[in-house]
Each structure stands twice: as structure tokens, then as C-alpha cells.
């Protein structure tokens, strides 16, 4: 067992570093500029619950502008950042994830982006007059994420041979939707240098929502669990967006799509910055298998529930819990 004599690290668990062969060499890649077959998206959602999109049309200038603003935020003094915390769940948080005792080697800013204008946010930093460039980059980025999510969910609908292309996308559109944006900063952890292990940045979990879109800088750290239970590292790609299937989409597809378990391991030398958009439905939205998808005689695998009910249960759970468990029939 590795013992690192540092009280700060005491509570955060270590993860054995993957062998070089455990890097996922071929992440399913969906090129949005070409006519990638919607079957490829469906295959990726069934096998992994994870893929990346390239040629997505989101300007790298905007992504970099927002990232620079985010880095500026995390570079502020601890007392300045603390004015926007503690995260409950929204706002600035450090090491504590959620409200049930999970911890990780990161700091973050969690924002409910459906609640615009940001200058009236409950998060002090967003209200601050000096944050106007952050707010405008955030607004632009979120607007593009909504479009991207819509495009990707329409391709999924095509691949599933749903007659109405908007069958899934309409569930995460409109001002009632429960949309979250997460900015994560994983500082380097030099104490780990020389050990064949990493420190948990963000512990293993699935995302409760429909879909998540992640963009990170060039520091790796994201790992996903394959269906055989093996964990593999995902090479970073700062120009692409990584898409996760969330629990709610697993239910809408009656288990055809897999809500992918993932985690982040902190790096000993480089800091990782990621920005994740979570597309969730309105609180009153019923989450149940799409009738158009069900084959003759097929039964729902899940009890009926609304997104609000699921979300409430999720926020009472620990990160690694199998949150869909209590909703199985
Ligand atoms: C995982 C996905 C999103 O990051 C998040 C997380 C949320 C939080 O950080 O407050 C949760 C986690 C996430 C699922 C279980 C609960 C709630 C932490 C936690 C222990 C913002 C979300 O919506 O669910």
C-alpha cells in the first residue's frame, strides 16, 4: 500500500495508474461535418455510452476565451473564490463534492445556466461587475452547447430510427430545462511523482442527466469504465467535445444506451481544466422508455419517475452509488 504522509490527501483515495496499454486507442469519433452514419453514434452509445465529436463548428477562439476566463477565476485568491461558495450545490467548491461526504482533488464552480441573466446569479463572482467578459463568454458558449446537444440528440434519434428527429432533443430544450455547467480545476499534485498511482480528482460516477458535453485542456485524466469493468484512460483532445450518455437517456432508451461510469485522476505535474455542460429535462418531465422504441411485448426496465424525483434522489446519494438501482422494476 502506498502511504503519502500529507493530511490534506488523507481522505482522497488513490487510483492505480493504468498500464500504457490501457489507453483507449480508438475513441468512437463522430465527425459532425461529414455524413458520419447515425449508426456509429448508436453503436458508441450502446457499447460505451461515450464518444467524441469533431468538426463541431464551435469556434476554438470562443472555447479558449472562456477557458482563459475560467483560469483567471481559479487564479484568484482563496478568499476571493470563497465568496462564491460554499457550493450548495451551486457556486464555488473545493475538494468537497456534493453534500454527502465525497471528496476529490479539485476545485470547481457549478452554475445553473438556465437561470439567466447571470448578473443576477446567486453566485457572487457572476454578479460582480468585473466579470462581464466571463459572463458574455459563458452566455455564448452555453448557447452553442444547446445547439450542439440538439444536433447530437437528433443524430441519435436518426440512428434509432425514430420518425421525429426531435423526439429526444426536445426533452432538453426550452427555458424550463434543468441545465448545469461545471467548471473544474484539478491542480497538479507533485506529491504523487514517482508513485505508480494517481489521486482521485473526481470519483467514479454516472451523470444523472440526459447528456453531458465535456471539453478539457490538454491534460489527460479522464477515465471511463468499459462494459467488461476495465477502466481505460481517454487521451485528451482540446479541440473535440466528449459526450457522455446520462442515466436519464439510458432510461429513455430502455437500457439500449449505456450511462457511462467515469472518473478523473489528478496529474502529478500538470493542471487540468474542464468545462462540462449537462443537459437535463424540466423537473416535471416524465422519464420513461420512449414508446416509439419499444418492440412488441417489450416491458419497461424502470419504474416511472419524473426528472425532479430522480434528481432529488441523486442529490441524496454518494457519487459512486448506482442511482438507477431503486428505480429498476
Ligand atoms: C454528477 C454530474 C454533475 O457533475 C452534477 C454532480 C452533483 C454535484 O456535484 O453536486 C452530484 C453528482 C453529479 C451525482 C450525485 C450527487 C450529486 C454530486 C453527488 C454526490 C452537478 C450532477 O448533477 O450530479
Amino acid at each position: 500500500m502506498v502511504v503519502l504522509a500529507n493530511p490534506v490527501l488523507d481522505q482522497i483515495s488513490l487510483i492505480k495508474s493504468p498500464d500504457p496499454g490501457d489507453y483507449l486507442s480508438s475513441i468512437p469519433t463522430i465527425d459532425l461535418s461529414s455524413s458520419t452514419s447515425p449508426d456509429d453514434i448508436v453503436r458508441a452509445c450502446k457499447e460505451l455510452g461515450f464518444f467524441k465529436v469533431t468538426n463541431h463548428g464551435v469556434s476554438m477562439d470562443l472555447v479558449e476565451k472562456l477557458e482563459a476566463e475560467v483560469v483567471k477565476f481559479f487564479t484568484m485568491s482563496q478568499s476571493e473564490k470563497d465568496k462564491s461558495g460554499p457550493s450548495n450545490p451551486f457556486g464555488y467548491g473545493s475538494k468537497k463534492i456534493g453534500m454527502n461526504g465525497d471528496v476529490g482533488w479539485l476545485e470547481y464552480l457549478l452554475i445553473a445556466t438556465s437561470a439567466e441573466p447571470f448578473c443576477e446569479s446567486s453566485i457572487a463572482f457572476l454578479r460582480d461587475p468585473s466579470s462581464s467578459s466571463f459572463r458574455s463568454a459563458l452566455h455564448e458558449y452555453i448557447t452553442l452547447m444547446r445547439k450542439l446537444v440538439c444536433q447530437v440528440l437528433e443524430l441519435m434519434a436518426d440512428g434509432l430510427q425514430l420518425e421525429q428527429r426531435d423526439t429526444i432533443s426536445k426533452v432538453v430544450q426550452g427555458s424550463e430545462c434543468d441545465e448545469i455547467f461545471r467548471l473544474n480545476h484539478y491542480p497538479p499534485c507533485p506529491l504523487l511523482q514517482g508513485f505508480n498511482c494517481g489521486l482521485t480528482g473526481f470519483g467514479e460516477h454516472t451523470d444523472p442527466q440526459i447528456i453531458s458535453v465535456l471539453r478539457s485542456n490538454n491534460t489527460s485524466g479522464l477515465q471511463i469504465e468499459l462494459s467488461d469493468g476495465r477502466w481505460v484512460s481517454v487521451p485528451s483532445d482540446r479541440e473535440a467535445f466528449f459526450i457522455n450518455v446520462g442515466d436519464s437517456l439510458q432510461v429513455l432508451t430502455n437500457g439500449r444506451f449505456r450511462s457511462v461510469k467515469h472518473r478523473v485522476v489528478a496529474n502529478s505535474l500538470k493542471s487540468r481544466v474542464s468545462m462540462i455542460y449537462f443537459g437535463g429535462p424540466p423537473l416535471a418531465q416524465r422519464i420513461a422508455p420512449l414508446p416509439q422504441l419499444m418492440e412488441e411485448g417489450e416491458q419497461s426496465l424502470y419504474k416511472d419517475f419524473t426528472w425532479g424525483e430522480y434528481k432529488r434522489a441523486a442529490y441524496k446519494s454518494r457519487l459512486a452509488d448506482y442511482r438507477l438501482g431503486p428505480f429498476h422494476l
Side-chain angles (χ1 to χ4, degrees), residues 239-256:
E239 299 206 346
F241 290 104
F242 292 91
I243 310 275
N244 284 359
V245 169
D247 297 344
S248 301
L249 186 52
Q250 176 172 317
V251 175
L252 290 187
T253 59
N254 205 27
R256 287 169 176 74

Side-chain angles (χ1 to χ4, degrees), residues 87 89-90 97-100 102 108 110 180 182 202 205-209 278 307 311 314-319 323:
S87 165
F90 299 114
I97 300 170
M99 282 159 287
N100 305 309
D102 287 290
Y108 59 85
L110 209 53
I180 298 182
R182 165 161 226 138
F202 207 111
H205 66 286
T206 60
D207 294 340
Q209 290 82 0
F278 300 95
W307 166 242
K311 186 177 176 182
Y315 277 74
K316 286 187 192 141
S317 69
R318 294 291 299 260
L319 210 46
R323 274 173 281 283

